[in-house]
Amino acid sequence: MAHAFFLGVDATPSDAADSFDVTFALFEKSKEGNDEIPQYRLDHIRHRTGVPSAEDLAEHLQGVVADRPYIGRTSLIVNRGTTFGQGLVDALEDRGLDPVAATLTEGTGVTSGETDEIAVQLGGIDAVRTLADCHRDGVLTMEGHPTEAGSQLARDVQALAEQLDAADGGSEALEGTTSGPSFNPTATHVTSAALAVWLGMERSFDPSQHLKESPRTGPANGSGV
C-alpha cells in the first residue's frame, strides 16, 4: 500500500500579547492499488494557544516529522499570511525542511509562487471546498479523535458539505463562482486541515516532488495521483 503524510499549519493572533494560537493537522494519504482512489485519514490534529515563538513550534514539528512512521514521508504546508506563519516557514527552512509557503486569499483560484520558492496563493474557498468535496466523495476519514479540535473539525466539515449540497446543482455549479462552502480565515482547525488535504491532492506519494506547474483550481474529485 502506498502512503504519505501531509501536515498543514495555520495561526491567528492570540488574546495574549505577542503570541499566536496555532493549529496543525496531519493527514495520511493512502492507496491500495494503481486503480484505487486515494483516501485521506486524519492522523492527528493539535491546537495550541498563546504560542510565543515560531522557532519553538518549528523545533516541535521537526521532531514530529522525524518520528516513525512520518520520517521521509511527510510534506509540510504553512499559511504564511501572518508574521508568525512567515516566521515558521523561515524556521522550518533553516532546519532543512521544505515547507510549501501558502497564502490563503478571500476568493478563489490558485497561482504558483515565485520560481525561486516553494509557494502558492490559494483561494480560501477552494481550500475548504477541497475538504467538502472529499467528505462528500467518501474519501475523507476523521473518526476517533476525541480532542476538541478534532470534534470541531468533523462538525465543520459536515457543515461545509451541507453548504455544498445546498448550492445550485451541486459542486459543478460552483465552478467559477463564490457560492457554496464559506471560508472563515480564523477557523484554523479547518484551514490547517484544508491545506494538508489540498497539498495531498497536488502531490504524489513522493514527498520530494514539487508542486505541479499548474496547480488544480477546480473542485476536488478525490482522484489525486
Side-chain angles (χ1 to χ4, degrees):
M1 179 179 72
H3 70 112
F5 296 92
F6 298 88
L7 178 63
V9 189
D10 199 4
T12 57
S14 174
D15 292 336
D18 300 322
S19 64
F20 283 78
D21 296 340
V22 183
T23 307
F24 54 94
L26 182 64
F27 280 81
E28 179 187 27
K29 174 184 178 180
S30 62
K31 187 167 68 169
E32 291 288 348
N34 292 334
D35 297 329
E36 292 292 325
I37 295 176
Q39 303 289 313
Y40 298 88
R41 179 187 65 84
L42 178 62
D43 185 88
H44 68 262
I45 182 170
R46 299 290 184 270
H47 180 70
R48 294 185 171 186
T49 59
V51 178
S53 167
E55 289 285 343
D56 290 344
L57 183 61
E59 184 174 352
H60 174 74
L61 295 179
Q62 183 182 32
V64 170
V65 301
D67 203 359
R68 293 183 181 275
Y70 315 115
I71 185 169
R73 296 178 179 270
T74 304
S75 299
L76 293 87
I77 182 167
V78 178
N79 180 9
R80 67 172 180 187
T82 62
T83 55
F84 185 96
Q86 183 59 59
L88 181 59
V89 169
D90 295 339
L92 290 170
E93 289 177 342
D94 290 344
R95 286 164 170 77
L97 302 173
D98 293 314
V100 175
T103 301
L104 284 174
T105 68
E106 293 286 346
T108 60
V110 184
T111 57
S112 299
E114 300 296 330
T115 56
D116 60 345
E117 64 177 358
I118 308 174
V120 64
Q121 288 191 0
L122 173 61
I125 293 174
D126 287 326
V128 298
R129 186 170 59 190
T130 297
L131 284 177
D133 277 328
C134 287
H135 178 76
R136 294 195 336 157
D137 292 343
V139 299
L140 185 67
T141 304
M142 295 178 292
E143 287 80 8
H145 294 276
T147 64
E148 177 58 28
S151 299
Q152 192 172 10
L153 176 63
R155 291 193 301 268
D156 286 354
V157 170
Q158 176 64 38
L160 289 169
E162 291 172 357
Q163 292 174 20
L164 192 59
D165 286 335
D168 294 340
S171 60
E172 292 81 3
L174 296 177
E175 187 77 33
T177 76
T178 57
S179 60
S182 58
F183 169 56
N184 178 3
T186 66
T188 56
H189 60 291
V190 173
T191 54
S192 59
L195 286 171
V197 173
W198 179 86
L199 183 61
M201 299 191 76
E202 287 296 307
R203 284 187 169 172
S204 71
F205 291 94
D206 179 3
S208 66
Q209 182 196 45
H210 291 287
L211 286 174
K212 300 173 184 175
E213 292 185 5
S214 299
R216 176 181 52 79
T217 58
N221 60 9
S223 60
V225 293

